[in-house]
């Protein structure tokens, strides 16, 4: 069932506690190097401010050790938010639930914002502590979850805080709404053919995704180093490719259960060292020479995958086809990205490397959805239910 969103809540004069994902990258001087995560939260924040609400923002940033650490302060994020919201006053509380936070939340007026200091400066956040959650819950009349990247977690701000606010509106923000729409709705009733492309380093990271998508998709195309574990399972020669010998049995099970739904590379671009300027050769899958390792899908595979994408009505992509950071072994990943961008399918790009590849190639506006959460999007593709989303109000 669909979840209620912030658009359905009367927020005028109310304090709205929004869990955002302001986990932005910072350089050593504390400057934000990419403010995308802040900008992604703007539609939800602006919607509340424009309707006369008061916004209290909470987020984590990095991995501080459960205590204040200036390196991980959310202050730069609050400053940047202030620049992005010229009509609002954006205040920053120097603690999360302490005297400063309490005073600044109490003094908040309609159309303005206070950003609380990093949730992970408090041990209660990772522990899901009820007292810590109750304090945060006491700050507001409405709870909003707009932190998709953290939705697969059960941190206090994701679960215990909305639990402590039972009886008050608890809804999703626009970012989480969009992620759910694509990662669950589009997948549970997909337009067909439905093609998934899964790559990356390890089969072990993607087993549950492969299993789940084999049950839903028409084709699951495999790329990246994990293809070589499948090749090994088929008795192929993999040279010194990155493989997981302990996952060969599992690869065999997936091959048997997947049948012709599971599509493996037919050729491989190999190198005799893990570097751009190594000696290279393109060989048929399963015929990698000794001393060489597979570093990308080969051109025939790239063409085959591009053709399968061209005919698809729904495409899900997670994980690069090769060592995408190291040209020329980025060619397979680029070919897949180009094919997805050129298709008029509903296209959903998982977070992490595939999302970065789509952004880098300038195709982000040519796909239906680029997920903001790597781990969270994978968990959704595995078919997991998230406590942080389940407990939100139904529409
Ligand atoms: P993941 O985090 O599992 O999505 O994996 C992404 C990483 O897998 C990237 O850093 C790629 O460089 C790496 N990768 C993909 N294909 C290969 C390969 N054939 N050999 C080694 N690393 C690979």
């Amino acid at each position: 069932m669909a979840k209620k969103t912030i658009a359905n809540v009367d927020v005028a004069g109310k304090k709205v506690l929004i869990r955002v994902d302001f986990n932005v990258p910072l350089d050593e001087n504390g400057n934000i190097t990419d403010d995308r995560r802040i900008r992604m939260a703007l539609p939800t924040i602006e919607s509340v401010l424009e309707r006369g609400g008061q916004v209290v923002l909470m987020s984590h940033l990095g991995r501080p050790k459960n205590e204040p650490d200036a390196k991980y302060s959310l202050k730069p994020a609050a400053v940047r938010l202030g620049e992005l919201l010229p009509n609002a006053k954006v205040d920053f509380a120097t603690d999360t639930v302490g005297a400063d936070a309490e005073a600044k939340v109490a003094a908040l007026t309609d159309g303005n914002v206070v950003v609380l200091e990093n949730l992970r400066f408090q041990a209660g956040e990772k522990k899901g502590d009820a007292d810590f959650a109750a304090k945060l819950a006491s700050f507001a009349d409405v709870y909003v979850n707009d932190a998709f990247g953290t939705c697969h977690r059960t941190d206090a701000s994701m679960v215990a805080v909305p639990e402590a606010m039972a009886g008050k509106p608890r809804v999703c923000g626009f970012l989480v709404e969009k992620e759910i729409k694509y990662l669950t709705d589009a997948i549970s009733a997909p337009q067909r053919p439905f093609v998934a492309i899964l790559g990356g380093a390890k089969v072990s990271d993607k087993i549950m995704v492969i299993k789940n998508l084999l049950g839903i998709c028409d084709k699951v195309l495999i790329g990246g180093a994990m293809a070589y574990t499948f090749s090994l399972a088929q008795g192929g020669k993999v040279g010194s490719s990155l493989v997981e010998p302990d996952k060969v049995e599992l690869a065999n099970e997936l091959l048997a259960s997947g049948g012709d739904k599971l599509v493996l590379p037919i050729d491989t671009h190999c190198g005799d060292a893990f570097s751009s300027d190594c000696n290279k050769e393109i060989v048929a899958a399963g015929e990698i020479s000794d001393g060489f390792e597979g570093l990308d899908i080969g051109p025939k595979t790239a063409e085959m995958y591009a053709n399968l994408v061209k005919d698809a009505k729904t495409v899900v992509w997670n994980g690069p086809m090769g060592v995408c950071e190291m040209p020329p072994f980025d060619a397979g990943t680029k070919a897949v990205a180009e094919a997805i961008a050129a298709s008029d399918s509903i296209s959903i790009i998982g977070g992490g490397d595939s999302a970065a590849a789509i952004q880098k190639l300038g195709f982000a506006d040519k796909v239906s959805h680029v997920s903001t959460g790597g781990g969270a999007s994978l968990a959704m593709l595995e078919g997991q239910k998230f406590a942080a989303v389940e407990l939100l109000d139904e529409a």
Side-chain angles (χ1 to χ4, degrees):
M1 240 216 294
K3 292 290 170 187
K4 202 168 179 177
T5 78
I6 187 61
N8 312 121
V9 182
D10 175 12
V11 294
K14 303 222 172 92
K15 286 194 166 51
V16 181
L17 180 62
I18 311 179
R19 175 47 158 110
V20 286
D21 179 3
F22 280 1
N23 186 21
V24 288
L26 299 169
D27 67 16
E28 61 275 16
N29 301 318
N31 299 310
I32 297 170
T33 54
D34 181 354
D35 68 356
R36 197 149 25 109
R37 287 192 166 142
I38 300 175
R39 286 185 283 109
M40 302 285 279
L42 287 177
T44 297
I45 297 168
E46 283 169 339
S47 160
V48 174
L49 297 178
E50 281 160 13
R51 291 181 288 144
Q54 307 170 11
V55 169
V56 181
L57 295 177
M58 55 177 175
S59 176
H60 75 281
L61 192 157
R63 295 181 180 197
K65 296 192 173 68
N66 299 326
E67 59 186 24
D69 180 344
K71 204 164 69 207
Y72 297 108
S73 174
L74 274 169
K75 183 146 191 220
V79 171
R80 180 73 190 117
L81 181 67
E83 293 162 1
L84 294 166
L85 294 172
N87 298 324
K89 178 168 173 265
V90 178
D91 221 338
F92 175 69
T94 55
D95 51 29
T96 316
V97 289
D100 196 45
E102 219 168 88
K104 285 188 172 138
V105 170
L108 193 56
T109 51
D110 295 351
N112 295 315
V113 181
V114 61
V115 180
L116 305 178
E117 183 53 289
N118 195 340
L119 288 161
R120 290 193 185 164
F121 285 0
Q122 301 292 318
E125 170 65 356
K126 290 304 291 174
K127 281 197 214 141
D129 182 70
D131 290 339
F132 173 63
K135 194 79 211 226
L136 286 164
S138 73
F139 286 161
D141 313 299
V142 178
Y143 173 85
V144 183
N145 174 351
D146 211 20
F148 181 71
T150 320
C151 274
H152 57 317
R153 309 224 180 268
T154 52
D155 299 355
S157 59
M158 303 303 297
V159 176
V161 172
E163 276 175 355
M165 289 175 74
K168 295 178 177 170
R170 301 173 299 174
V171 299
C172 56
F174 300 126
L175 187 61
V176 167
E177 180 193 27
K178 187 170 180 242
E179 294 276 6
I180 294 174
K181 177 173 160 225
Y182 282 105
L183 288 165
T184 59
D185 301 358
I187 286 169
S188 59
Q191 293 187 36
R192 295 184 183 277
F194 178 11
V195 173
I197 308 155
L198 299 174
K202 292 182 178 168
V203 187
S204 48
D205 289 343
K206 308 251 160 98
I207 296 163
M208 296 313 292
V209 180
I210 299 174
K211 275 193 180 157
N212 191 41
L213 291 180
L214 276 174
I216 311 171
C217 292
D218 300 294
K219 294 279 179 209
V220 177
L221 319 182
I222 301 290
M226 66 177 174
Y228 311 123
T229 299
F230 284 101
S231 185
L232 200 59
Q234 291 173 319
K237 281 183 64 195
V238 295
S240 44
S241 302
L242 183 64
V243 286
E244 292 174 278
D246 59 329
K247 294 290 174 296
V248 164
E249 202 174 313
L250 183 89
N252 264 320
E253 279 167 28
L254 291 170
L255 284 165
S257 65
D260 61 4
K261 268 193 188 182
L262 191 65
V263 182
L264 296 170
I266 50 177
D267 60 350
T268 306
H269 196 182
C270 317
D272 66 352
F274 194 85
S275 80
S276 283
D277 56 6
C278 61
N279 295 307
K280 303 168 184 83
E281 59 180 36
I282 292 167
V283 297
E287 292 180 18
I288 299 175
S289 314
D290 290 344
F292 278 75
E293 60 184 304
L295 295 170
D296 193 13
I297 54 172
K300 286 187 188 149
T301 308
E303 194 187 337
M304 174 174 81
Y305 285 8
N307 280 328
L308 287 164
V309 165
K310 199 169 78 199
D311 296 332
K313 290 271 189 309
T314 306
V315 177
V316 167
W317 178 30
N318 191 298
M321 297 293 95
V323 186
C324 53
E325 308 91 336
M326 196 168 75
F329 302 106
D330 56 348
T333 302
K334 270 188 182 163
V336 163
E338 274 160 13
I340 296 174
S343 86
D344 46 20
S345 61
I346 295 168
S347 47
I348 302 152
I349 317 299
D353 288 310
S354 24
I358 281 280
Q359 307 275 6
K360 203 168 131 201
L361 292 164
F363 294 152
D365 58 352
K366 294 198 169 64
V367 297
S368 313
H369 182 62
V370 182
S371 178
T372 53
S377 73
L378 262 186
M380 272 215 161
L381 293 175
E382 286 175 1
Q384 278 186 34
K385 297 260 179 253
F386 297 163
V389 172
E390 293 291 299
L391 59 65
L392 301 176
D393 301 346
E394 302 290 344

